[in-house]
Amino acid sequence: MNYPKNEKTAIGEPDSVQNGYSVGEGEDILALQDTDPALNAKMFLVNNAIDEIGWTNYHWKLFVLNGFGYCVDSLLLLLQSIIAIPARYEFNPSYPHALTIAVYVGMLIGALFWGVSGDIIGRRFAFNVSLFLCSAFTIVAGAAPNWVSLAVFIALLGFGGGGNLILDTTVFIEYLPSKKQWVLTWLAAWWGLGQSIAGFLAWGYLTQARWNCPDPFDKNGALVGVCPYSSNKGWRYLMYTSGALVFFMSIARITIIRLKETPKFLLGEGKEEQLVQGFQDMAKKYGRTCSLTVEQLEACGVIRSAHGKSKLSLGELTIHFRGLFATKKMGFSTSLVWFSWTLIGLAYPLFYVFLGSYLASRGADFGSPSPSITWRNYALVNISSIPGPMLAGWMCNTKILGRKYTMVIGALCSMAFFFAYTQVRNESQNLGFSCAIAFFTDVYYGCLYAYTPEVLPSAHRATGNGVAVACNRVMGIISAIIATYANTDTAVPIYVCAALFLVMAIVSASFPFEPYGKRSS
């Protein structure tokens, strides 16, 4: 069997420099785990080819069009919370938190479905289809005739959106040259953009008296007025507009980028001629060189750890989960990553679930801001989250911090502002601290989003990523249940959230892999 070059190259000495990128520079993150020697050898050659071609306009297109997935994910999560109140005015439901549970259930099932299917049938199909499903069900949800049907459509659009974050990061990292892997963190800035779009659309549609009913409930929650369809179209217009925007994004994905299957998925499939041809086509289009050949890949042997004997079998499913725990170090890493997603999945929504009740119980004097001011502040808080991942991208690309300690700093700063939030007593303080929390939480969150696919093996990356996001969604469901039955008159929930961020910081520091200076496997 022919292994790449020599031992010095394999452990990190660069062979040459082409197009500003060192070919063969840096150790592949999982290369020393020895789970599949043929896969390690071929992955080294593929990473060399990606580095040799370097950053191109194709990567800029991927950054924007994959960013749409982040944008849509955050947009969908906020839409259900934004429309819940005006839709409740119209439908008078017996269970007001149904939309929150519906969207998280949909996203939970979607994360698992699209994650596993991304490793079995490929990234391309899920990448192209998921946004179409989101757009269709978002528009249909705007025409829902009752609360139950609205919850069903919300769950279905969540199912479509459930795979976006998984496939966006998976596709992007499998094309990124090693020097640019930190850009994956910047994708999370699109999350804040999606939240901001939701806020601005709500500001436009839900502040118009002709499209929105006054509150038909008294202080005790009894229905004392009526809110007919004809007087309450604001939330429906919001859904129609959002659905049209997502449809535009889905069309752009297909017409602008015309995504081919990722090289690292093709490697696991054994489609080496197709893989090399894709690299050659990209190199030719962007005026780069690519020295990778089919013969070099074939000389490394046969990959045996990427798939089972049949894709339509329990063994195929088993191999993708077992591959995430192939060694003790990989298993420990996977477990900590999933645990981190579980913690942030509980802490972030739990804070906002209890925030209003806590502030009211502590006598916070917010006055009576108009709907316009309320939605303006909402948009400002979400805009504040956009620079967080951008700062995280710079921080995680420094040797002293790397990915792990960027997350530690983001978590500790978030913890500090959560504790400080217990002292909020007026609207100005609320806006300022909310903006700070949004910023620092996304420093942590954005880096975690990027770190997760970096440390997962390519053949099982979508599955591992899908389970991580699914853990997050489970906690979202639990937060809605807590909001229904728990006592919200104490400061305990906010202190619990702050403590959870402390645990996140400890877990981040304990991660066994540091991707800085290494290449994704």
Side-chain angles (χ1 to χ4, degrees), residues 374-457:
T374 298
W375 291 113
R376 182 208 66 182
N377 291 350
Y378 191 85
L380 289 175
V381 170
N382 290 319
I383 289 173
S384 298
S385 68
I386 296 176
M390 302 181 77
L391 175 62
W394 173 80
M395 292 169 63
C396 76
N397 199 40
T398 59
K399 187 174 183 179
I400 192 172
L401 294 175
R403 276 58 158 172
K404 292 166 56 174
Y405 291 101
T406 296
M407 285 186 278
V408 169
I409 291 173
L412 291 178
C413 290
S414 299
M415 178 198 69
F417 278 100
F418 270 98
F419 277 126
Y421 213 109
T422 60
Q423 302 305 311
V424 166
R425 291 294 182 272
N426 58 56
E427 184 61 35
S428 296
Q429 293 171 0
N430 174 55
L431 180 60
F433 278 96
S434 295
C435 289
I437 287 176
F439 177 84
F440 284 111
T441 301
D442 273 24
V443 169
Y444 172 84
Y445 222 160
C447 196
L448 179 64
Y449 269 116
Y451 179 88
T452 300
E454 276 192 295
V455 298
L456 294 173

Side-chain angles (χ1 to χ4, degrees), residues 47 49-51 53-56 58-59 62 66 123-124 169-178 180-181 257-264 266 278-279 282 461 520:
N47 278 335
I50 293 173
D51 281 348
I53 295 172
W55 181 273
T56 66
Y58 185 77
H59 294 91
L62 278 176
N66 286 33
R123 294 34 166 147
R124 183 173 178 268
T169 53
T170 299
V171 167
F172 198 35
I173 198 170
E174 294 187 357
Y175 277 104
L176 277 179
S178 59
K180 295 291 186 179
Q181 282 181 195
I257 199 168
R258 297 179 183 177
L259 180 75
K260 296 181 180 179
E261 195 52 78
T262 67
K264 293 184 178 180
L266 293 175
F279 278 144
M282 182 182 292
R461 180 172 285 134
S520 67

Side-chain angles (χ1 to χ4, degrees), residues 16 77-78 89 117 120 151 159 166 241 282 284 331 392 415 419 431 444 450-451 461 482:
S16 61
L77 276 176
L78 289 190
Y89 290 170
S117 64
I120 296 176
F159 172 77
I166 300 157
T241 304
M282 182 182 292
K284 181 179 180 180
M415 178 198 69
F419 277 126
L431 180 60
Y444 172 84
Y451 179 88
R461 180 172 285 134
I482 291 174

